[in-house]
C-alpha cells in the first residue's frame, strides 16, 4: 500500500531516502517551473534532491532506509502564475556503464517491477525473445526493444477502439501496428519484464518547445507523455524512449561522468512553464 510522508519543509534534503548517494553518473541540475494553472502534484525530472515548496511524498516501501518514490504533492497547492524550484539528480550514464551494470537487483526491485499479468500473451513474450536473440546484457536487450518499437510501430495520436476479445498490446504489435506513447511504453515494459528486466511506467510531460526569445521551455497539455524506465544496479532508474515522435536519448559510449556533490557544483537553470 502506498504511504505519504508528513509535510516536508522547503529545501528538505531528500537524498537520504531516495537512494541518491548510492547511484553513479548523475548530474545535479536546477529547474524552475512556473505554472499557468493550479497544481497539486509537483513535476520534477528524475530524482529530486531539494524542492523550494512544502511537499508530501507518495511512496512505496523499498527497504528500512530507502523509499520507492511514486509522486510528490505540493502542500499547499501551487496557484497559476506561481513557481517552484527543484534540484534534481539527473541520470547521465554511459552505454559502457549500463552494459556492465549486471543483474544484481535489490529484492524490492525484483519483487515489484518484474510482475506480469497472468493473461500476458505468449506472442508478446516470444517477440521479446526474437528481438533480443543473441544479446547478453539488459542494456543491449532494452536498446533493441526500444529501437524495434520506434522502427516497426507507426506513431499516431489516436487509435480506433481495440477488439474486445483481444489483448490490447498484442493487437497493437501484431495487427494495428500504430500507437501513441501509452502503448509504446506499455509494450516495452511487458517485453522487458518477460525477459527478467525490471521496468516501470512513468507519466509526465515531454520537454516541450524552447522559447528562444525568453529563454525557457514551454510545456503544454499537448506535451503530456509516458515512457518506460529500466532499473540498472548502481545507476537506478534510467529513461528510454520507444515513441518515435520524441527524440532519441543520446548517451556517450565510454566517457565517464564524475560523481559530484550537488553542494559544490555551479548549476545551470532550465525554465519551464
Amino acid at each position: 500500500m502506498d504511504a505519504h510522508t508528513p509535510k516536508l519543509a522547503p529545501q528538505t534534503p531528500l537524498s537520504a531516502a531516495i537512494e541518491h548517494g548510492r547511484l553513479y553518473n548523475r548530474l545535479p541540475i536546477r529547474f524552475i517551473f512556473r505554472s499557468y494553472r493550479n497544481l497539486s502534484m509537483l513535476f520534477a525530472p528524475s530524482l529530486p534532491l531539494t524542492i523550494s515548496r512544502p511537499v508530501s511524498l507518495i511512496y512505496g516501501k523499498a527497504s528500512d532506509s530507502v523509499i520507492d518514490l511514486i509522486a510528490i504533492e505540493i502542500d499547499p497547492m501551487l496557484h497559476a502564475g506561481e513557481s517552484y524550484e527543484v534540484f534534481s539528480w539527473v541520470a547521465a550514464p554511459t552505454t559502457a556503464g549500463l552494459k556492465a551494470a549486471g543483474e544484481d537487483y535489490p529484492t524490492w526491485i525484483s519483487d515489484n517491477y518484474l510482475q506480469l499479468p497472468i493473461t500476458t500473451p505468449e506472442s508478446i513474450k516470444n517477440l521479446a525473445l526474437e528481438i533480443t536473440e543473441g544479446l547478453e546484457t539488459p542494456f543491449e536487450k532494452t536498446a533493441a526493444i526500444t529501437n524495434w518499437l520506434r522502427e516497426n510501430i507507426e506513431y499516431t495520436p489516436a487509435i480506433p477502439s481495440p477488439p474486445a476479445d483481444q489483448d490490447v498490446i498484442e493487437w497493437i504489435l501484431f495487427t494495428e501496428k500504430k500507437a501513441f506513447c501509452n502503448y509504446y511504453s506499455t509494450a516495452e515494459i511487458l517485453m522487458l519484464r518477460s525477459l527478467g528486466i525490471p521496468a516501470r511506467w512513468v507519466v509526465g510531460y515531454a520537454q516541450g518547445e524552447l522559447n528562444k526569445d525568453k529563454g525557457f521551455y514551454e510545456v503544454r497539455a499537448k506535451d503530456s507523455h509516458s515512457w518506460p524506465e529500466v532499473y540498472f544496479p548502481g545507476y537506478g532508474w534510467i529513461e528510454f524512449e520507444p515513441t518515435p515522435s520524441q527524440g532519441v536519448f543520446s548517451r556517450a559510449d565510454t566517457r565517464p561522468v564524475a560523481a559530484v556533490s550537488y553542494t559544490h557544483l555551479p548549476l545551470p537553470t532550465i525554465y519551464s512553464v
Side-chain angles (χ1 to χ4, degrees):
M1 180 179 295
D2 298 341
H4 287 68
T5 62
K7 185 190 296 188
L8 303 176
Q11 309 301 345
T12 299
L14 306 180
S15 56
I18 315 180
E19 205 182 15
H20 301 87
R22 291 166 286 277
L23 301 179
Y24 307 125
N25 293 83
R26 286 183 177 258
L27 292 175
I29 299 178
R30 179 174 62 184
F31 297 84
I32 297 176
F33 293 82
R34 185 174 70 251
S35 180
Y36 287 153
R37 60 183 176 87
N38 295 345
L39 290 179
S40 59
M41 196 70 68
L42 180 144
F43 297 97
S46 203
L47 293 175
L49 292 163
T50 62
I51 301 166
S52 65
R53 294 270 179 163
V55 297
S56 295
L57 307 182
I58 304 173
Y59 65 93
K61 189 71 170 178
S63 69
D64 290 339
S65 59
V66 177
I67 66 172
D68 185 11
L69 182 63
I70 297 171
I72 304 174
E73 292 182 336
I74 304 176
D75 186 11
M77 176 185 294
L78 186 81
H79 295 287
E82 295 181 331
S83 63
Y84 63 90
E85 178 182 275
V86 179
F87 284 86
S88 280
W89 207 219
V90 177
T94 63
T95 56
L98 294 179
K99 287 178 182 177
E103 301 176 55
D104 186 17
Y105 303 119
T107 300
W108 66 273
I109 288 291
S110 299
D111 287 348
N112 291 291
Y113 295 103
L114 289 175
Q115 301 172 7
L116 283 172
I118 59 174
T119 56
T120 301
E122 289 299 315
S123 60
I124 295 177
K125 301 176 184 179
N126 291 336
L127 178 60
L129 290 171
E130 177 185 327
I131 294 169
T132 60
E133 183 178 5
L135 301 178
E136 296 183 359
T137 69
F139 173 76
E140 291 171 308
K141 295 175 181 180
T142 301
I145 289 173
T146 301
N147 292 336
W148 188 92
L149 288 166
R150 292 182 68 92
E151 294 168 1
N152 290 275
I153 305 300
E154 180 184 346
Y155 176 79
T156 181
I159 62 170
S161 297
D165 60 348
Q166 188 174 0
D167 180 88
V168 175
I169 300 302
E170 183 181 41
W171 173 75
I172 289 286
L173 292 174
F174 297 100
T175 303
E176 178 66 13
K177 298 187 178 180
K178 296 180 181 179
F180 55 87
C181 60
N182 291 351
Y183 296 101
Y184 284 99
S185 52
T186 301
E188 177 151 343
I189 291 165
L190 289 176
M191 287 194 278
L192 290 174
R193 290 189 178 189
S194 76
L195 299 172
I197 300 172
R200 69 179 183 181
W201 195 59
V202 182
V203 177
Y205 289 87
Q207 70 178 15
E209 298 178 5
L210 176 62
N211 186 321
K212 294 182 180 180
D213 294 333
K214 296 183 178 180
F216 56 69
Y217 282 89
E218 293 184 316
V219 181
R220 304 183 183 280
K222 66 182 180 65
D223 298 309
S224 60
H225 190 48
S226 67
W227 61 93
E229 292 184 347
V230 179
Y231 192 90
F232 292 87
Y235 294 87
W237 292 107
I238 303 297
E239 306 89 346
F240 286 82
E241 187 52 86
T243 304
S245 62
Q246 299 295 325
V248 178
F249 283 107
S250 177
R251 296 188 172 106
D253 291 330
T254 57
R255 280 199 311 275
V257 177
V260 292
S261 167
Y262 73 93
T263 59
H264 298 101
L265 186 73
L267 299 172
T269 301
I270 298 176
Y271 289 91
S272 185
V273 293

